[in-house]
Amino acid sequence: EGVVELPLHYTASIDPLRYGDPANSGEMMHASFYEARQKCYATVSDVLTKLVFPPAAGPQLSAEQRQAGKRRLVELAMQSRDTLFLEHIYQVMLDLGLREEMLEHGGGALESFLCESGGLQQPVEVVFSTNQVQCLNLLVQLYQQRGQHHKAAQVLLRLAERRTPSTDPSLDLLERTHLLDQALLQARAAPLEARAAPLEANGDLVEHIRLKQTLVGFQRVMYERLQERAYNHTEGGPSAPPAASD
């Protein structure tokens, strides 16, 4: 308890007016208080990191002790109302691969963090980072866990439409097709939600996804024809096919 509570109490005492939040202060004042807050938050996340990846030197805890300590630390951290701390600890948990634990304690703060960190509202032409993709994939799982199929479909559609760096081959036409298929399944399940989106809005989403599927299907056919043509016109055997991510 002390690992979580003492740093957070100290944080509240040095920044009671929350100048560390960029919404509450000017740039210069924000930087100073923000740095002070991050140092306090780091004392909590450092312990969590050591519980997940214990250092080679020093006293060693058993696997059972580390698991119990990690579970208790996460439970206490998730009870905090400090949104800046929650954003910090969520990112650390994401980096540590603690996705199941994040979903287990998936309150409203987690949804906001994943939407913001995942760049859900950023322009389509902006390239997505690996971290943003991880956040959006986790957001889909959160919405599916809550039975919010309409929202899950919207995020899956955003993942399918995203742009990736030219050096990242992870999103090809096959993967886009898979994401669109999953989005369509979620959109079709949306009317079953307890608080379903209006039928007209959901119908528009289904139709939009179908149009995207048609477009990607056409792109796949064209890509396969170009690949076959390149093969036929290459002397001495096939050359490496062009990337299918665009």
Side-chain angles (χ1 to χ4, degrees):
E1 286 80 0
V3 170
V4 177
E5 293 174 358
L6 288 176
L8 293 182
H9 279 307
Y10 182 70
T11 300
S13 69
I14 62 174
D15 185 20
L17 299 180
R18 293 183 59 81
Y19 287 131
D21 188 331
N24 295 336
S25 62
E27 184 176 346
M28 292 184 61
M29 185 177 293
H30 159 66
S32 174
F33 282 98
Y34 180 82
E35 183 179 354
R37 279 182 170 273
Q38 293 303 308
K39 288 181 178 179
C40 293
Y41 299 157
T43 61
V44 181
S45 57
D46 286 350
V47 174
L48 179 59
T49 301
K50 290 176 181 177
L51 288 170
V52 177
F53 298 108
Q60 297 294 313
L61 298 176
S62 67
E64 291 77 11
Q65 289 174 319
R66 289 191 289 106
Q67 181 66 20
K70 180 189 70 174
R71 186 184 305 110
R72 183 57 177 157
L73 190 151
V74 169
E75 287 176 355
L76 290 168
M78 293 301 102
Q79 294 173 14
S80 174
R81 296 183 179 180
D82 184 341
T83 55
L84 292 176
F85 169 69
L86 290 174
E87 290 174 2
H88 172 89
I89 207 70
Y90 282 145
Q91 185 59 57
V92 171
M93 292 174 70
L94 192 64
D95 294 339
L96 293 174
L98 303 180
R99 293 170 179 79
E100 291 185 7
E101 288 82 353
M102 293 175 72
L103 292 173
E104 183 180 349
H105 301 279
L110 177 59
E111 180 181 358
S112 299
F113 167 78
L114 294 175
C115 288
E116 181 68 24
S117 298
L120 188 60
Q121 301 302 325
Q122 71 183 19
V124 176
E125 63 271 13
V126 176
V127 174
F128 276 73
S129 68
T130 301
N131 185 74
Q132 287 177 313
V133 174
Q134 288 181 339
C135 287
L136 292 185
N137 279 321
L138 195 60
L139 183 59
V140 171
Q141 291 180 258
L142 179 65
Y143 286 146
Q144 289 175 327
Q145 179 176 283
R146 294 176 176 177
Q148 294 176 298
H149 304 290
H150 186 85
K151 288 186 175 182
Q154 290 176 314
V155 180
L156 284 163
L157 177 61
R158 192 70 183 86
L159 284 167
E161 294 176 327
R162 77 183 189 272
R163 292 188 61 186
T164 58
S166 57
T167 55
D168 180 10
S170 62
L171 185 63
D172 57 15
L173 291 175
L174 288 175
E175 179 61 18
R176 290 187 193 275
T177 300
H178 172 71
L179 288 168
L180 288 171
D181 289 345
Q182 293 299 311
L184 186 60
L185 287 173
Q186 291 298 315
R188 284 175 170 170
L192 303 178
E193 295 178 27
R195 296 182 178 179
L199 290 177
E200 181 179 355
N202 196 66
D204 290 343
L205 178 60
V206 169
E207 184 62 25
H208 182 67
I209 294 171
R210 284 175 174 165
L211 289 173
K212 289 290 183 179
Q213 286 178 313
T214 301
L215 176 60
V216 171
F218 175 75
Q219 290 174 329
R220 286 181 62 186
V221 170
M222 293 301 298
Y223 170 72
E224 290 167 1
R225 289 181 180 176
L226 290 171
Q227 191 177 23
E228 182 180 356
R229 182 179 300 178
Y231 177 88
N232 293 334
H233 285 78
T234 300
E235 295 181 359
S239 60
S245 58
D246 294 331

